[in-house]
Amino acid sequence: QVSSRGRNRIQVSWLYEQEAVQKRTFTKWINTHLAKRNPPLVVNDLFEDIKDGVMLLALLEVLSGQKLPCEQGRHLKRIHWVANIGSALKFLEGRRIKLVNINSTDIADGRPSIVLGLMWTIILYFQIEELTSNLPQLQSLSSSTSSVDSVVSSEAASPPTKRKVVTKVQGNAKKALLKWVQYTAAKQAGIEVKDFGRSWRSGVAFHSVIHAIRPELVDMEKVKGRSNRENLNEAFTIAETELGIPRLLDPEDVDVDKPDEKSIMTYVAQFLKHYPDLHNTTEMQENDVGKEDRLMLRDLKVWVEQFERDLTRTQMVEASLQEKYQSFKHFRVQYEIKRKQIELVIQSSRKDGKLSLDQAMVKQAWDRVSSRLLDWHKYLDKSLPAPLGTIGAWLYRAEAAVREEIIVQQAHEETANTIHRKLEQHKDLLKNLDGHKKAFQGIHRARSVNGVPVPLEQLDDMAERFNFVASTSELHLLKMEFLELKYRLLSLLVLAESKLKSWIIKYGRRESVELLLQNYISVIENSKFFEQYEVTYQILKRAAEMYAKANGSVEEAENVMKFMNETTAQWRNLSVEVRSVRSMLEEVIANWDRYSSTVASLQAWLEDAEKMLNQPEHARKDFFRHLPHWIQQHTAMNDAGNFLIETCDETISRDLKQQLLLLNGRWRELFMKVKQYARADEFDRMRKEYLDGVATLSTFADGTNGKFSVPVEVSFLNVKMFVQDLEVSFFLLSVCLSFSLFSSQKRELFNYLIL
């Protein structure tokens, strides 16, 4: 037997291998499309190359034929990466591809599961769904609101970063593609294809698809006698050389215990556009599926209408309270048996959200029956003798409250507000639980109300309902509190994410950047956004622990813990990005200020300088004495201008480039004529030092000569003092000579610069 630890290791190993296969397949698929670009691009490491968003936008441009805005350059910052990825996600959402919980920062981090999920969504939309759009399975099952609709569980939805991409249309496209293979290839070749996993391991299924397109390319009898690797290699080679289908898979990717379904679907979908008679396939499937669906709907319509007639007739019959309650239970059982089946078939099967005529008629009849049964139940509870009738009416409302499902709104804050209102209503309702339960227990024991007998079966049912409300009410309220705080936190995350996208755009003029900074200060700093998030998170953490503990379900506890962990990771990344916004905006504003001031002062100085060229030499020399200062101003202007060109939108960047081009042209022309004045002050200072040194040396030499010409009385003391005086003089002479030499070097430099 394999230990649980061993099973976990096997599972983890398989997941890593599945991830590696998807990475290889998706990379090849991407490169086949990027090769069509001019100039072509190549993805080498998907998780790394996608981080800056440039490759992602290039891929979407090729797939859509549209030009998309893209930050490019050798020195892109992370903030530009996030902006590029945000543009790509916005484009996908514009195509009605709902990417719930895919975050720009996750892609910028190169997180494998999120990158692969995004790539799969793109492949699903731009290849698989598009190619299967003519197949009836997709038409009958596709969502009415989106073509690729990523959904998350309402009970434990992942926060915006940890996005598990679960596409509603994936199952539809998968069914349509599989049905096409079964009808067109597998059926003709006499093989069974059940899925996009193990059914393809032998390679026979690939050959059957090729055979359906070009029968002369494949000998199916020989295929069935070869090894898996031989079949797979030959199928991929034939498809590439004869049909022009890129080799996205390798034999070793498929010849495994659990081949990756997404990789195989990506590859197999390419064969659809080569199939010569897709129309007949569609008609055949429409005949089978459409006819079957219509017959089922009509049968259900007949059943519901008969059920409604029987229900109406029974309600009109005079009977005792006990007999009426037994009749109600009989109809309620039949209703529950059919409920799931009917609710499934009356879901919209068209992209415009409309129902077929048969669906609409079934739904209309079912709604009438549901309403009638509900009203009957309320009537039976209220018909009980007082005060049991009042208790019954309360019990019905309490049951409805603890069973009520939360409808998740598009806006998380709206969902949180709705939950809060319902939570307060439910608290107010359930506070009467103990009083009503105590009164009911007395009636239940007596089996009568004020001497009026009550059907024991109805009392027993009410007792069970009371027990249900009593046992679930506390958990229900804890769950509501958890969900309210959960969606409060999600609303803060979404707000931060949406604001971040608006703050890291290509910027406009200084005034617009100043408005962005003011908005940032208002949203983040004035409202104490980070403190608000931390408080909400800590309250949610306690609520989550209480709910998970009360629930007792290991699975639900894991879901709650997963949500909390993912939220923490999401906020860790997002908060860093948000905190960096202010410094970025301030840097842009500072560069606008620096650019504006240097341009204005430099333009004014250039006008004066150009006029000064016609003045005498001494005037020019005096005017251009401060040229080093204007060199610094010129450099500062270009540094600020180039920064703004990189960070501002295309129109402003174009204007800045034009302005810099003109100013730099004027500067260059002027500087070539006056560059010799750049170090005039230094030349004057060096010349003065040289002349001062020569004068000092001359004075010293004269003094020394005087000492030698003065007679010295021959005595030990006089000679000693004379020698000491000479030593001091020679020391000073050496210093002066050194200074003179140094000044001489400066003089040579001075002469060189002058020349």
Side-chain angles (χ1 to χ4, degrees), residues 147-210:
S147 33
V148 178
D149 188 0
S150 300
V151 296
V152 290
S153 166
S154 62
E155 292 299 312
S158 297
T161 59
K162 298 272 188 172
R163 194 173 284 190
K164 182 180 180 183
V165 181
V166 183
T167 53
K168 188 186 295 183
V169 76
Q170 175 180 338
N172 308 333
K174 179 180 175 182
K175 289 177 183 178
L177 188 59
L178 183 60
K179 201 74 172 177
W180 173 77
V181 172
Q182 291 169 339
Y183 269 107
T184 61
K187 191 174 182 181
Q188 295 178 25
I191 63 171
E192 188 175 25
V193 177
K194 297 179 179 179
D195 50 40
F196 285 104
R198 290 187 175 92
S199 296
W200 300 81
R201 181 175 182 178
S202 67
V204 176
F206 290 109
H207 281 280
S208 71
V209 173
I210 297 172

Side-chain angles (χ1 to χ4, degrees), residues 16 19 23 27 43 45-53 56 78 81-82 85 102-119 161-163 573 577:
Y16 278 130
E19 182 181 286
K23 182 181 179 182
T27 299
V43 171
D45 186 329
L46 178 58
F47 301 152
E48 288 297 321
D49 294 348
I50 199 174
K51 285 184 176 181
D52 62 6
L56 179 58
R78 179 180 170 83
W81 297 6
V82 174
I85 297 165
I102 288 184
N103 187 275
S104 300
T105 54
D106 279 339
I107 305 298
D109 290 337
R111 297 182 59 193
S113 61
I114 306 301
V115 172
L116 292 176
L118 176 61
M119 288 302 107
T161 59
K162 298 272 188 172
R163 194 173 284 190
N573 295 329
E577 300 286 344

Side-chain angles (χ1 to χ4, degrees), residues 25-42:
T25 304
F26 294 174
T27 299
K28 292 175 184 176
W29 183 86
I30 292 167
N31 284 334
T32 61
H33 291 282
L34 290 181
K36 304 170 186 175
R37 189 178 179 276
N38 186 21
L41 295 175
V42 176

Side-chain angles (χ1 to χ4, degrees), residues 304-316 328 331-332 335 364-380 396:
V304 174
E305 289 175 344
Q306 183 60 48
F307 182 85
E308 184 180 17
R309 286 193 293 271
D310 294 343
L311 180 62
T312 303
R313 186 165 49 250
T314 302
Q315 286 181 292
M316 295 175 64
F328 165 77
F331 282 101
R332 183 61 181 262
Y335 175 88
Q364 188 178 22
W366 183 251
D367 288 344
R368 287 198 307 269
V369 165
S370 300
S371 179
R372 187 179 289 272
L373 205 57
L374 178 65
D375 291 341
W376 194 11
H377 195 184
K378 287 181 181 178
Y379 168 77
L380 291 172
Y396 190 89

Side-chain angles (χ1 to χ4, degrees), residues 122-256:
I122 291 172
I123 291 170
L124 195 63
Y125 178 81
F126 284 100
Q127 176 169 300
I128 298 176
E129 186 190 359
E130 183 176 326
L131 292 174
T132 57
S133 59
N134 290 325
L135 300 180
Q137 277 72 20
L138 192 61
Q139 291 175 347
S140 63
L141 296 172
S142 61
S143 166
S144 62
T145 58
S146 69
S147 33
V148 178
D149 188 0
S150 300
V151 296
V152 290
S153 166
S154 62
E155 292 299 312
S158 297
T161 59
K162 298 272 188 172
R163 194 173 284 190
K164 182 180 180 183
V165 181
V166 183
T167 53
K168 188 186 295 183
V169 76
Q170 175 180 338
N172 308 333
K174 179 180 175 182
K175 289 177 183 178
L177 188 59
L178 183 60
K179 201 74 172 177
W180 173 77
V181 172
Q182 291 169 339
Y183 269 107
T184 61
K187 191 174 182 181
Q188 295 178 25
I191 63 171
E192 188 175 25
V193 177
K194 297 179 179 179
D195 50 40
F196 285 104
R198 290 187 175 92
S199 296
W200 300 81
R201 181 175 182 178
S202 67
V204 176
F206 290 109
H207 281 280
S208 71
V209 173
I210 297 172
H211 183 269
I213 296 171
R214 294 268 301 276
E216 74 278 8
L217 296 178
V218 179
D219 185 338
M220 291 303 296
E221 293 304 317
K222 288 183 179 180
V223 168
K224 294 176 182 178
R226 286 198 296 253
S227 69
N228 293 357
R229 295 289 176 98
E230 289 174 330
N231 278 336
L232 291 167
N233 187 59
E234 184 171 346
F236 299 156
T237 302
I238 293 173
E240 185 174 29
T241 56
E242 298 294 335
L243 301 178
I245 293 175
R247 189 183 182 115
L248 303 183
L249 297 172
D250 294 319
E252 55 269 25
D253 294 338
V254 183
D255 188 18
V256 292

